[in-house]
Amino acid sequence: MNEPRISVVVPTYNQGRFIEQTLASIIGQQWPNLEIIVIDGGSTDETGAVVERYRNSIAHYVSEKDSGQAEAINKGFRLATGDILCWLNSDDMYMPCTLQRIASLLPASNEPALVYGGCLMFYEANKKAKGGIPLPYDREALRTFDYIYQPSSFWTRALWAKTGELVEKYHFVLDWEWYLRATAHCDFIRTPEFLSLYRFHAEHKTSSGDPRRRSEILETIDRYADTAWREAYHDVDRQLDSLTRGLDRLRRFGLHRFRTLLFRDLYKRHGEARLKVAIGQLKINV
Protein backbone atom coordinates (compact mmCIF):
# COMPACT_ATOMS: atom_id res chain seq x y z
CA MET A 1 0.00 0.00 0.00
CA ASN A 2 1.66 3.20 -1.25
CA GLU A 3 -0.89 5.69 0.02
CA PRO A 4 0.20 7.66 3.11
CA ARG A 5 -1.49 6.75 6.35
CA ILE A 6 -3.88 9.53 7.43
CA SER A 7 -4.80 9.82 11.12
CA VAL A 8 -7.96 11.78 11.93
CA VAL A 9 -8.51 12.62 15.60
CA VAL A 10 -12.13 13.34 16.55
CA PRO A 11 -12.44 15.14 19.91
CA THR A 12 -15.98 15.09 21.27
CA TYR A 13 -18.13 15.76 24.29
CA ASN A 14 -21.92 15.37 24.37
CA GLN A 15 -22.35 15.87 20.63
CA GLY A 16 -24.20 12.65 19.95
CA ARG A 17 -26.62 14.33 17.55
CA PHE A 18 -23.76 15.41 15.26
CA ILE A 19 -20.99 12.82 15.55
CA GLU A 20 -22.57 10.24 13.26
CA GLN A 21 -22.43 12.69 10.36
CA THR A 22 -18.83 13.52 11.27
CA LEU A 23 -17.75 9.87 11.31
CA ALA A 24 -19.66 9.09 8.11
CA SER A 25 -17.91 11.98 6.34
CA ILE A 26 -14.52 10.54 7.31
CA ILE A 27 -15.29 6.91 6.53
CA GLY A 28 -17.00 7.98 3.31
CA GLN A 29 -13.68 9.31 2.01
CA GLN A 30 -12.84 5.64 1.35
CA TRP A 31 -9.18 6.38 1.93
CA PRO A 32 -7.45 2.98 1.92
CA ASN A 33 -4.95 3.77 4.70
CA LEU A 34 -7.08 5.56 7.29
CA GLU A 35 -6.83 5.72 11.08
CA ILE A 36 -9.77 7.23 13.01
CA ILE A 37 -9.24 8.07 16.68
CA VAL A 38 -12.21 9.23 18.77
CA ILE A 39 -11.39 10.90 22.09
CA ASP A 40 -14.50 11.53 24.18
CA GLY A 41 -14.43 13.67 27.32
CA GLY A 42 -16.86 11.34 29.11
CA SER A 43 -20.11 12.12 27.29
CA THR A 44 -23.39 11.39 29.03
CA ASP A 45 -25.55 11.53 25.89
CA GLU A 46 -25.85 9.07 22.99
CA THR A 47 -22.25 9.62 21.80
CA GLY A 48 -21.03 6.24 23.03
CA ALA A 49 -23.86 4.36 21.33
CA VAL A 50 -23.21 6.16 18.03
CA VAL A 51 -19.48 5.44 18.17
CA GLU A 52 -20.14 1.75 18.85
CA ARG A 53 -22.03 1.49 15.57
CA TYR A 54 -18.82 2.48 13.78
CA ARG A 55 -16.32 0.56 15.94
CA ASN A 56 -15.13 -1.57 13.01
CA SER A 57 -13.87 1.60 11.31
CA ILE A 58 -12.37 3.23 14.42
CA ALA A 59 -8.82 2.40 15.47
CA HIS A 60 -9.03 3.88 18.98
CA TYR A 61 -11.93 5.02 21.14
CA VAL A 62 -11.25 6.60 24.54
CA SER A 63 -14.00 7.96 26.79
CA GLU A 64 -12.85 9.63 29.99
CA LYS A 65 -12.89 13.04 31.63
CA ASP A 66 -10.35 15.57 30.40
CA SER A 67 -9.55 19.26 30.81
CA GLY A 68 -10.93 20.21 27.42
CA GLN A 69 -10.52 19.97 23.68
CA ALA A 70 -6.76 20.56 23.55
CA GLU A 71 -6.02 17.72 25.98
CA ALA A 72 -8.32 15.40 24.02
CA ILE A 73 -6.57 16.22 20.74
CA ASN A 74 -3.10 15.80 22.22
CA LYS A 75 -4.19 12.46 23.65
CA GLY A 76 -5.39 11.39 20.23
CA PHE A 77 -2.19 12.35 18.44
CA ARG A 78 -0.14 10.39 20.98
CA LEU A 79 -1.99 7.32 19.70
CA ALA A 80 -1.78 8.29 16.03
CA THR A 81 0.55 6.45 13.64
CA GLY A 82 -0.23 8.39 10.47
CA ASP A 83 2.07 10.14 8.02
CA ILE A 84 -0.56 12.90 7.72
CA LEU A 85 -2.35 14.26 10.80
CA CYS A 86 -5.50 16.30 11.32
CA TRP A 87 -8.41 16.68 13.69
CA LEU A 88 -12.10 17.08 12.94
CA ASN A 89 -14.45 18.30 15.65
CA SER A 90 -17.50 16.12 16.15
CA ASP A 91 -19.91 18.72 14.75
CA ASP A 92 -17.97 19.30 11.51
CA MET A 93 -17.64 17.23 8.33
CA TYR A 94 -15.27 16.64 5.44
CA MET A 95 -16.30 17.35 1.87
CA PRO A 96 -16.09 14.45 -0.61
CA CYS A 97 -12.58 13.49 -1.80
CA THR A 98 -10.88 15.77 0.76
CA LEU A 99 -8.33 13.20 1.95
CA GLN A 100 -7.46 12.24 -1.61
CA ARG A 101 -6.83 15.88 -2.44
CA ILE A 102 -4.66 16.76 0.54
CA ALA A 103 -2.59 13.57 0.18
CA SER A 104 -1.67 14.74 -3.32
CA LEU A 105 -0.62 18.17 -2.02
CA LEU A 106 1.50 17.23 0.98
CA PRO A 107 5.14 16.22 0.43
CA ALA A 108 6.87 13.20 1.92
CA SER A 109 6.06 12.66 5.59
CA ASN A 110 9.63 13.38 6.72
CA GLU A 111 9.26 17.02 5.66
CA PRO A 112 7.39 19.61 7.77
CA ALA A 113 4.40 20.81 5.74
CA LEU A 114 0.83 22.02 6.19
CA VAL A 115 -2.02 22.35 3.68
CA TYR A 116 -5.10 24.49 4.31
CA GLY A 117 -8.16 25.10 2.17
CA GLY A 118 -11.63 26.56 1.96
CA CYS A 119 -14.55 25.80 4.23
CA LEU A 120 -18.32 25.73 3.80
CA MET A 121 -19.88 27.37 6.86
CA PHE A 122 -23.35 26.05 7.69
CA TYR A 123 -25.68 28.00 9.98
CA GLU A 124 -28.09 25.50 11.46
CA ALA A 125 -30.61 28.05 12.80
CA ASN A 126 -31.58 29.42 9.39
CA LYS A 127 -30.36 26.49 7.25
CA LYS A 128 -28.06 28.73 5.26
CA ALA A 129 -24.46 28.30 4.21
CA LYS A 130 -21.66 30.45 2.85
CA GLY A 131 -18.26 29.64 1.50
CA GLY A 132 -15.08 30.69 3.26
CA ILE A 133 -12.31 31.24 0.70
CA PRO A 134 -8.84 30.79 2.21
CA LEU A 135 -6.52 33.78 2.07
CA PRO A 136 -3.05 33.37 0.56
CA TYR A 137 -0.43 32.32 3.08
CA ASP A 138 1.18 35.27 4.85
CA ARG A 139 3.19 34.55 7.98
CA GLU A 140 3.00 38.13 9.26
CA ALA A 141 -0.75 38.40 8.69
CA LEU A 142 -1.27 35.19 10.66
CA ARG A 143 0.29 36.92 13.65
CA THR A 144 -2.58 39.43 13.62
CA PHE A 145 -5.63 37.24 12.91
CA ASP A 146 -6.48 33.60 12.36
CA TYR A 147 -7.44 33.16 8.70
CA ILE A 148 -7.02 29.36 8.58
CA TYR A 149 -10.16 27.25 8.76
CA GLN A 150 -9.15 24.57 11.25
CA PRO A 151 -11.16 21.62 9.85
CA SER A 152 -9.61 22.34 6.43
CA SER A 153 -6.01 22.07 7.69
CA PHE A 154 -3.77 19.00 7.44
CA TRP A 155 -0.07 18.50 8.18
CA THR A 156 2.74 15.99 8.20
CA ARG A 157 3.91 14.06 11.24
CA ALA A 158 7.25 15.84 10.90
CA LEU A 159 5.62 19.23 11.44
CA TRP A 160 3.77 18.02 14.54
CA ALA A 161 7.00 16.59 15.94
CA LYS A 162 8.90 19.85 15.40
CA THR A 163 6.12 22.16 16.61
CA GLY A 164 5.00 20.19 19.65
CA GLU A 165 1.56 19.61 21.12
CA LEU A 166 -1.33 22.02 21.59
CA VAL A 167 -1.21 24.25 24.68
CA GLU A 168 -3.81 22.64 26.90
CA LYS A 169 -4.74 25.76 28.85
CA TYR A 170 -6.30 27.20 25.70
CA HIS A 171 -9.94 26.49 24.82
CA PHE A 172 -10.45 28.94 21.92
CA VAL A 173 -7.09 29.79 20.30
CA LEU A 174 -5.55 26.31 20.56
CA ASP A 175 -5.38 25.91 16.76
CA TRP A 176 -4.26 29.49 15.97
CA GLU A 177 -1.50 29.44 18.56
CA TRP A 178 -0.27 26.09 17.21
CA TYR A 179 -0.25 27.38 13.63
CA LEU A 180 1.85 30.34 14.75
CA ARG A 181 4.45 28.04 16.26
CA ALA A 182 4.33 25.80 13.20
CA THR A 183 5.23 28.70 10.86
CA ALA A 184 8.78 28.52 12.24
CA HIS A 185 9.25 25.22 10.41
CA CYS A 186 7.62 25.68 6.98
CA ASP A 187 5.54 27.87 4.71
CA PHE A 188 1.96 26.67 4.53
CA ILE A 189 0.40 25.43 1.29
CA ARG A 190 -2.94 26.96 0.29
CA THR A 191 -5.56 25.31 -1.87
CA PRO A 192 -8.74 27.21 -2.87
CA GLU A 193 -10.83 24.03 -2.78
CA PHE A 194 -13.53 23.52 -0.14
CA LEU A 195 -12.32 20.73 2.13
CA SER A 196 -14.73 20.78 5.07
CA LEU A 197 -18.05 21.95 6.48
CA TYR A 198 -18.00 23.99 9.68
CA ARG A 199 -21.28 23.95 11.57
CA PHE A 200 -22.68 26.84 13.63
CA HIS A 201 -25.37 25.75 16.10
CA ALA A 202 -26.81 26.60 19.52
CA GLU A 203 -24.07 24.74 21.43
CA HIS A 204 -21.25 25.97 19.19
CA LYS A 205 -18.26 26.78 21.40
CA THR A 206 -16.95 29.83 19.53
CA SER A 207 -20.40 31.47 19.64
CA SER A 208 -20.92 30.80 23.34
CA GLY A 209 -19.85 34.26 24.55
CA ASP A 210 -17.38 32.73 26.99
CA PRO A 211 -15.15 35.61 28.24
CA ARG A 212 -12.11 33.32 28.08
CA ARG A 213 -12.18 33.66 24.33
CA ARG A 214 -11.38 37.38 24.35
CA SER A 215 -8.71 36.82 26.99
CA GLU A 216 -7.02 34.11 24.95
CA ILE A 217 -7.10 36.19 21.77
CA LEU A 218 -5.47 39.13 23.54
CA GLU A 219 -2.83 36.88 25.08
CA THR A 220 -1.97 35.50 21.64
CA ILE A 221 -1.83 38.96 20.09
CA ASP A 222 0.40 40.20 22.93
CA ARG A 223 2.80 37.33 22.33
CA TYR A 224 3.02 37.30 18.52
CA ALA A 225 1.86 40.66 17.06
CA ASP A 226 3.63 44.03 16.94
CA THR A 227 2.86 47.06 19.11
CA ALA A 228 0.37 48.70 16.73
CA TRP A 229 -1.73 45.56 16.54
CA ARG A 230 -1.59 44.99 20.28
CA GLU A 231 -2.82 48.52 20.94
CA ALA A 232 -5.65 48.16 18.41
CA TYR A 233 -6.88 44.90 19.91
CA HIS A 234 -6.79 46.21 23.45
CA ASP A 235 -8.61 49.42 22.50
CA VAL A 236 -11.33 47.38 20.79
CA ASP A 237 -11.57 45.09 23.80
CA ARG A 238 -11.99 48.03 26.20
CA GLN A 239 -14.75 49.56 24.06
CA LEU A 240 -16.38 46.29 23.02
CA ASP A 241 -19.80 47.00 24.52
CA SER A 242 -20.14 50.51 23.08
CA LEU A 243 -18.84 49.32 19.71
CA THR A 244 -21.40 46.54 19.63
CA ARG A 245 -24.31 48.84 20.49
CA GLY A 246 -23.17 51.59 18.13
CA LEU A 247 -22.53 49.35 15.14
CA ASP A 248 -25.83 47.53 15.65
CA ARG A 249 -27.65 50.86 15.77
CA LEU A 250 -26.01 52.09 12.58
CA ARG A 251 -26.78 48.81 10.84
CA ARG A 252 -30.42 48.90 11.93
CA PHE A 253 -30.94 52.34 10.36
CA GLY A 254 -28.85 51.64 7.27
CA LEU A 255 -26.11 54.06 8.36
CA HIS A 256 -23.25 51.60 8.61
CA ARG A 257 -21.05 53.78 6.38
CA PHE A 258 -20.93 56.37 9.17
CA ARG A 259 -19.12 54.07 11.61
CA THR A 260 -15.86 55.99 11.12
CA LEU A 261 -17.64 59.13 12.36
CA LEU A 262 -19.32 57.53 15.36
CA PHE A 263 -16.00 56.06 16.55
CA ARG A 264 -13.80 58.78 15.06
CA ASP A 265 -10.98 58.67 17.60
CA LEU A 266 -10.71 54.90 17.45
CA TYR A 267 -10.63 54.80 13.66
CA LYS A 268 -8.20 57.72 13.49
CA ARG A 269 -5.84 56.11 15.98
CA HIS A 270 -5.68 52.66 14.37
CA GLY A 271 -7.02 52.93 10.83
CA GLU A 272 -10.09 51.23 9.41
CA ALA A 273 -8.31 48.15 8.06
CA ARG A 274 -6.64 47.25 11.36
CA LEU A 275 -9.80 47.95 13.35
CA LYS A 276 -11.92 45.80 11.07
CA VAL A 277 -9.62 42.84 11.68
CA ALA A 278 -9.52 43.36 15.45
CA ILE A 279 -13.29 43.79 15.70
CA GLY A 280 -13.86 40.75 13.48
CA GLN A 281 -11.61 38.55 15.60
CA LEU A 282 -13.41 39.63 18.74
CA LYS A 283 -16.64 38.63 17.02
CA ILE A 284 -18.48 41.84 16.27
CA ASN A 285 -20.00 41.86 12.79
CA VAL A 286 -18.77 44.89 10.84
Side-chain angles (χ1 to χ4, degrees):
M1 185 178 292
N2 296 323
E3 292 86 355
R5 188 167 180 77
I6 300 178
S7 296
V8 184
V9 172
V10 181
T12 188
Y13 180 68
N14 283 343
Q15 290 194 326
R17 72 186 183 100
F18 300 126
I19 193 171
E20 185 162 19
Q21 291 179 319
T22 300
L23 293 173
S25 80
I26 302 169
I27 297 166
Q29 301 287 314
Q30 297 187 331
W31 186 252
N33 197 2
L34 178 64
E35 180 180 54
I36 301 174
I37 301 168
V38 179
I39 308 295
D40 177 23
S43 293
T44 57
D45 65 356
E46 67 269 34
T47 296
V50 174
V51 172
E52 283 302 321
R53 293 203 290 270
Y54 292 87
R55 282 298 279 126
N56 290 340
S57 300
I58 296 172
H60 301 280
Y61 171 47
V62 177
S63 183
E64 60 189 19
K65 288 185 177 182
D66 55 45
S67 63
Q69 185 184 16
E71 182 186 355
I73 294 166
N74 285 339
K75 194 183 299 182
F77 284 136
R78 290 171 200 150
L79 296 170
T81 61
D83 307 298
I84 295 172
L85 305 177
C86 53
W87 85 76
L88 185 66
N89 294 329
S90 58
D91 50 359
D92 298 331
M93 291 181 281
Y94 285 141
M95 302 297 284
C97 301
T98 285
L99 299 187
Q100 180 181 10
R101 180 60 181 143
I102 62 101
S104 71
L105 291 171
L106 282 168
S109 60
N110 60 352
E111 299 177 26
L114 183 147
V115 167
Y116 68 99
C119 182
L120 188 65
M121 291 172 284
F122 176 67
Y123 298 85
E124 189 177 72
N126 55 19
K127 306 301 181 186
K128 292 184 178 180
K130 68 177 182 179
I133 307 296
L135 294 176
Y137 175 64
D138 184 323
R139 179 182 282 108
E140 291 307 311
L142 191 59
R143 296 177 186 274
T144 65
F145 72 105
D146 183 11
Y147 56 78
I148 295 177
Y149 299 106
Q150 178 275 313
S152 294
S153 63
F154 307 80
W155 54 91
T156 59
R157 172 174 290 277
L159 182 60
W160 181 261
K162 285 183 174 291
T163 304
E165 295 187 337
L166 301 175
V167 176
E168 294 185 359
K169 72 174 182 177
Y170 290 137
H171 296 276
F172 294 89
V173 301
L174 61 161
D175 51 341
W176 183 24
E177 195 277 337
W178 187 84
Y179 296 143
L180 287 167
R181 285 187 282 128
T183 60
H185 307 294
C186 66
D187 290 334
F188 297 170
I189 303 165
R190 171 191 176 270
T191 175
E193 297 171 83
F194 291 102
L195 303 178
S196 68
L197 181 147
Y198 188 88
R199 191 195 307 261
F200 291 86
H201 55 89
E203 299 87 36
H204 184 244
K205 182 179 71 172
T206 301
S207 305
S208 66
D210 190 320
R212 290 179 299 178
R213 185 176 179 283
R214 280 164 58 185
S215 176
E216 290 181 14
I217 289 173
L218 292 174
E219 184 176 328
T220 304
I221 286 294
D222 286 346
R223 180 177 178 185
Y224 290 100
D226 64 25
T227 301
W229 279 101
R230 293 197 298 268
E231 290 177 351
Y233 266 87
H234 281 279
D235 272 359
V236 167
D237 181 64
R238 281 190 289 269
Q239 300 187 47
L240 197 57
D241 291 339
S242 62
L243 277 165
T244 302
R245 290 192 300 270
L247 291 172
D248 284 347
R249 189 165 60 249
L250 289 176
R251 190 177 293 109
R252 189 161 54 249
F253 291 103
L255 301 173
H256 195 217
R257 64 188 180 277
F258 295 114
R259 62 190 180 276
T260 57
L261 297 177
L262 184 61
F263 302 105
R264 184 180 305 165
D265 290 343
L266 200 58
Y267 277 86
K268 184 177 179 180
R269 191 179 313 129
H270 300 294
E272 185 167 5
R274 185 175 282 121
L275 274 184
K276 187 171 183 178
V277 169
I279 292 170
Q281 282 290 98
L282 292 170
K283 290 302 177 188
I284 305 173
N285 295 321
V286 293

